[in-house]
Amino acid sequence: MELAYIPSPSRGVIHLGPIPLRGYAFCIIIGVFVAVWLGNKRWIARGGRAGTVADIAVWAVPFGLVGGRLYHVITDYELYFSEGRDWVDAFKIWEGGLGIWGAIALGAVGAWIGCRRRGIPLPAWADALAPGIALAQAIGRWGNWFNQELYGKPTDLPWALEITSSTDGRVPGTYHPTFLYESLWCIGVAVLVIWADRRFKLGHGRAFALYVAAYCAGRAWIEYMRVDEAHHILGLRLNVWTAMIVFLLAVTYLVVSSKKRPGREAVVEPGAEPSASDAEADVSDAEAEEKDEKDGAESAKKT
């Protein structure tokens, strides 16, 4: 007898008249808004203009959605192109199925286009957006809860997830809520990136690389817990291999970049007003130079 568990919603869509409101799409949309809001605050703090993050997100988000869907359809092609399946379902993104790897990869292409149009460095923009992306993922994972998908192995723990649907091979029961594990992990990643960025003044894409490395570290063990169908290579799920490879690439970038381009970008957006912290730093430098000049003059008089 289960004393406690996380119930799944009886349905993942609510109809307001002829308009369907799908939980999965709702979570994705909220996540995007949170990412842009936080990214905008961080961009302004770095000395950029308000609204620049949103302008570039107009390019990055559509590219990211297409990339995420492509990755999912390619890696799970049998769900759409095998016998008895309707290939048209591959376009029904609102029913679930986005691969974060494809979303980040193609989203970066869209962001690069937007950054070039605005004349700003992509790494600086990515650094500003990094913790917001992690929070967007944390929110977006609740879309899987609405769809009763991406859960882990059976368990009777008090926080087990109850699955009631029997469609697409699901077996009703209580399982590890891997969507919740990943959501909490992503919140921790966002906090880590914000703390490290303030503590070490990360620049030139290193805050984004830290986000990627930290996310991959969690995704690897969470992915290992899942029981849904997936392609395996040498006994490991494809996404586990992807997480490990991307983790190594991110760590390599962190190390190499910190040696070749230490510090932060002095200017992230040409023509923008300097941030408060930069202004304070300039004042402090000016005061220090003035003090040095006075000390030098006094020394010269004494001599």
Side-chain angles (χ1 to χ4, degrees):
M1 175 180 180
E2 296 89 357
L3 298 179
Y5 53 80
I6 301 172
S8 290
S10 58
R11 54 182 177 173
V13 57
I14 299 175
H15 290 272
L16 294 181
I19 303 175
L21 296 179
R22 299 183 181 275
Y24 184 88
F26 190 61
C27 290
I28 297 296
I29 292 171
I30 293 178
V32 170
F33 275 104
V34 169
V36 172
W37 169 78
L38 181 57
N40 183 64
K41 290 177 65 69
R42 287 171 52 80
W43 183 253
I44 294 173
R46 287 288 308 276
R49 289 192 177 96
T52 296
V53 168
D55 290 343
I56 296 173
V58 170
W59 288 90
V61 172
F63 273 73
L65 290 175
V66 172
R69 189 59 175 179
L70 281 174
Y71 181 89
H72 167 71
V73 172
I74 291 172
T75 56
D76 291 304
Y77 61 89
E78 66 279 355
L79 297 177
Y80 308 100
F81 302 106
S82 60
E83 185 177 356
R85 298 284 185 170
D86 187 356
W87 62 271
V88 176
D89 292 340
F91 297 94
K92 297 179 180 178
I93 192 172
W94 55 86
E95 293 184 355
L98 287 174
I100 185 62
W101 319 111
I104 294 296
L106 207 54
V109 174
W112 175 77
I113 294 173
C115 286
R116 280 187 60 86
R117 290 170 62 88
R118 294 297 294 263
I120 63 176
L122 174 60
W125 185 85
D127 282 342
L129 207 65
I133 296 176
L135 290 179
Q137 289 177 250
I139 297 170
R141 271 306 176 205
W142 284 86
N144 301 129
W145 175 67
F146 280 102
N147 286 353
Q148 296 198 37
E149 60 186 1
L150 306 188
Y151 46 86
K153 299 174 183 178
T155 182
D156 57 359
L157 291 170
W159 57 84
L161 172 68
E162 182 192 33
I163 296 297
T164 58
S165 174
S166 57
T167 60
D168 293 330
R170 297 185 183 93
V171 178
T174 54
Y175 300 85
H176 277 285
T178 50
F179 83 91
L180 177 60
Y181 298 161
E182 185 168 336
S183 180
L184 295 175
W185 183 271
C186 287
I187 293 174
V189 170
V191 172
L192 171 65
V193 173
I194 291 173
W195 170 82
D197 194 27
R198 291 177 177 175
R199 175 66 177 80
F200 303 106
K201 303 297 182 184
L202 301 175
H204 302 286
R206 287 189 287 277
F208 184 80
L210 176 61
Y211 144 70
V212 172
Y215 171 72
C216 289
R219 179 62 184 267
W221 67 266
I222 294 171
E223 185 75 23
Y224 188 75
M225 296 179 65
R226 283 168 48 175
V227 294
D228 52 303
E229 292 293 329
H231 295 287
H232 287 70
I233 300 175
L234 299 178
L236 291 178
R237 294 167 66 97
L238 174 61
N239 282 333
V240 174
W241 282 107
T242 304
M244 292 191 296
I245 293 171
V246 175
F247 171 83
L248 292 175
L249 292 174
V251 171
T252 300
Y253 180 86
L254 273 169
V255 174
V256 174
S257 175
S258 62
K259 292 181 178 180
K260 288 190 173 183
R261 307 186 71 183
R264 263 185 178 175
E265 299 90 342
V267 177
V268 296
E269 187 168 4
E273 293 293 329
S275 65
S277 59
D278 291 339
E280 291 173 1
D282 291 341
V283 171
S284 299
D285 291 342
E287 291 175 349
E289 290 177 2
E290 184 178 352
K291 184 177 182 300
D292 290 341
E293 290 177 359
K294 288 182 179 179
D295 292 343
E298 291 177 0
S299 299
K301 288 180 181 179
K302 290 179 181 178
T303 303

